[in-house]
Every structure is written in C-alpha cells, then in structure tokens.
Amino acid sequence: MNFKDKLIKAALSNKSWLCVGLDPDTSKLPTNVDKSTTGISQFLKNVIDTTKDLVCAYKPNSAFYEQFGADGINLLKEIIDYIPAKIPVILDAKRGDIGNTSRMYAVAAFEHLGVDALTVNPYMGYDCVKPFLDYKDKGVVILCLTSNPSSNDFQKRPLTVGDNEPAMLYQLVAKTALAWNENDNVCLVIGATKPEELGELRKLVGDDIPILIPGVGAQGGDLESSLKNGSNAKGQLAIINVSRSVLYVSTDDDYAARSRANALELVSKIRGLLF
Ligand code: OMP
C-alpha cells in the first residue's frame, strides 16, 4: 500500500488528521524520566501507547535523535519499529543533495529505517528530489512554505514573471512539485502560521496532494484555519503536526495521560469539523 492510501486508512480508522511529532528534548522531559536514550525510549513509547488511537501519523524529527550520536540513531530505529504497523511514519530530516547522495539518504530512510515518508528540501532541483520520488510507495514531503518567521527571506521572494506564471518562489515550488507527481507520491509542507497561503496553495495543487501542516501549538498556528484551508473537498489530506504541545504538557508522572488529553482535545476539534 502506498503512503497516501496508508495515511487515509489510518486517518479514517482513528477519525483524526493529527500527526504527533516525536521530538525528544532532554530540557523538556518530565522530572522522573531518565535523560538517557533508554529513559527517552520509555517516555516516547508511553506517549505512543496513549495516543496511537488518536493519530493519522507520527513524525519523528531526525535532529532530536542525531543529537545523541550512535545511540540516538538506534533510538530512532527502535521508536519507528515500535509504532503500530498500520500508522504511517513520516521521518522529518529535510533531505536533498546531488542525485548520487540523495539516493543514499533515500536508502537510509526508506530501506534501513523503513519509514513511509520523508521531508525533502527541493532547493537543489529535480535531480536531487528524483531519487526519493522513485520510491513509488513512499511519500516525498516537499518543503513549500515553512512555518518559521524567516521563511519570507527566500520563499516569499517575488519572481520576475510573465502572465499566468507563479509570482513568488513558494508558488513556483508548489507548481513544480505537482509536475513531479508522476508516481502520485508528492506531498507538501505548508506551515500553520501561513493560513491564507495554505488556502491558496490547496486550490493551486488540487485535492490529491497531502499537505503536512506543522506549527499548531508552540509556534502559534491555528488549528481551525489550518483544517479549513488545508483540507481538500472531501475534508481530507491536511496532516496537522503537533510536537511540543502534545509531548511536553506535564513534568509529572502523569505525562502520558496528559499528552493523551491534549491530543484528544485537538482530535475532538478535528472530528467536529471534518468527521
Ligand atoms: P512543534 O513546534 O513543537 O509542534 O514542532 C514542529 C515540528 O515540525 C518540528 O519537528 C519542526 O522541525 C517541524 N517543521 C516545522 O516546525 N515547520 C516547518 O515548516 C516544517 C517542519 C517539518 O518539516 O515538519
């Protein structure tokens, strides 16, 4: 089953478009959680256990594992393997390099770690993204308009254009990514902090492209506008990623139950609007 079908199946089964980000940060862990990779492993597994019926996907960000060196890479694999097989895993590593190198990134993510989708930086162009696109069953989640304040530095730069051509770089990225979608495996990243552009981009790319929408919660993005503007005509394919606001809600031993409560609050709103 390809990434998009697996995603839709999990979303409909759990009645949720929430993707919980699994980004371990020792400075934010509950007081009694051991700061070793063993302690962090148990922490993440407890959160997965209490949220696995509430999500359409999980998204571990590689940086939060790489910070621990070789132990962190092993932890990443352990957590990916722990996630129930029916729930898709999006690895966030924002990869992209010359084709020869991208191929190695693709092998690492899709074959060694066995994730269902990977975030990819399109800055270097098609030959750098193609090695990922060639994995027909895997999602290639292309950065389009990111959630951070400085995304304007490049992504919102006006282009010198003719009639009917994209006016800004992020619009060109969206249009180009559509042209790369021969295997029906292209997805886009559009930040929840950019609700108007999210609506505009959903119209531009149509109903078939999954959009990963990070930035709800800690970065101030709004859930309701993200769902309204990011969903397609069927009310699907807007993947709402929340990391810190689900993971780090309590420093006490009740953290897993509190993570569930926060996830449930988000999911109740998603269900109210879309299911
Ligand atoms: P929280 O702000 O804690 O919910 O985390 C957001 C997660 O999404 C982090 O792992 C970020 O690296 C990631 N992210 C963004 O925050 N903004 C983007 O534009 C793109 C991503 C991403 O690709 O997932």
Side-chain angles (χ1 to χ4, degrees):
M1 193 187 302
N2 71 19
F3 169 67
K4 193 160 63 170
D5 289 342
K6 188 170 174 181
L7 174 74
I8 292 173
K9 205 170 169 198
L12 296 183
S13 157
N14 279 344
K15 294 192 172 55
S16 172
W17 286 98
L18 176 67
C19 167
V20 169
L22 300 171
D23 298 352
D25 179 345
T26 48
S27 71
K28 294 188 169 62
L29 287 174
T31 317
N32 290 333
V33 170
D34 193 276
K35 309 281 184 281
S36 65
T37 47
T38 311
I40 292 168
S41 169
Q42 200 50 60
F43 165 76
L44 292 170
K45 287 175 181 174
N46 288 343
V47 172
I48 292 166
D49 286 344
T50 56
T51 56
K52 64 186 177 193
D53 61 326
L54 298 177
V55 299
C56 68
Y58 284 106
K59 183 177 77 70
N61 183 316
S62 187
F64 289 83
Y65 299 82
E66 289 172 33
Q67 65 166 323
F68 302 111
D71 285 351
I73 306 296
N74 290 335
L75 173 64
L76 177 59
K77 173 87 177 126
E78 188 184 328
I79 293 304
I80 289 166
D81 289 346
Y82 188 77
I83 292 169
K86 63 180 185 178
I87 299 177
V89 179
I90 303 167
L91 178 65
D92 186 4
K94 301 181 177 67
R95 298 301 195 204
D97 205 322
I98 60 166
N100 178 51
T101 308
S102 277
R103 249 191 310 282
M104 297 306 139
Y105 279 138
V107 168
F110 297 145
E111 296 185 33
H112 173 62
L113 291 170
V115 297
D116 302 286
L118 175 70
T119 58
V120 168
N121 187 333
Y123 189 69
M124 290 174 70
Y126 181 63
D127 57 3
C128 301
V129 180
K130 189 172 182 301
F132 304 107
L133 295 168
D134 285 343
Y135 284 80
K136 294 184 180 173
D137 288 343
K138 303 293 185 179
V140 181
V141 190
I142 295 174
L143 300 180
C144 177
L145 183 60
T146 55
S147 64
N148 55 308
S150 301
S151 63
N152 292 356
D153 287 352
F154 296 119
Q155 297 161 27
K156 283 200 154 182
R157 278 283 155 144
L159 305 171
T160 308
V161 288
D163 290 345
N164 297 322
E165 283 182 47
M168 292 201 201
L169 185 55
Y170 75 89
Q171 295 166 332
L172 178 63
V173 169
K175 211 174 159 188
T176 307
L178 260 190
W180 294 346
N181 196 25
E182 279 176 19
N183 292 332
D184 195 26
N185 60 349
V186 162
C187 316
L188 292 178
V189 176
I190 301 164
T193 52
K194 310 277 177 349
E196 280 170 28
E197 293 87 343
L198 177 59
E200 166 214 316
L201 287 164
R202 169 53 82 195
K203 284 196 191 86
L204 187 117
V205 300
D207 282 342
D208 292 336
I209 305 281
I211 302 180
L212 175 68
I213 307 171
V216 169
Q219 297 178 53
D222 177 59
L223 175 64
E224 199 172 323
S225 60
S226 297
L227 290 169
K228 282 191 174 150
N229 296 345
S231 298
N232 66 11
K234 284 186 178 167
Q236 297 181 343
L237 298 184
I239 310 165
I240 304 293
N241 180 85
V242 181
S243 306
R244 283 166 290 181
S245 302
V246 167
L247 275 189
Y248 306 113
V249 284
S250 166
T251 51
D252 293 330
D253 291 342
D254 64 350
Y255 67 83
R258 295 278 300 278
S259 285
R260 180 179 174 78
N262 265 33
L264 192 55
E265 202 180 314
L266 293 163
V267 171
S268 301
K269 287 183 190 157
I270 294 172
R271 288 176 181 161
L273 278 166
L274 300 181
F275 288 89

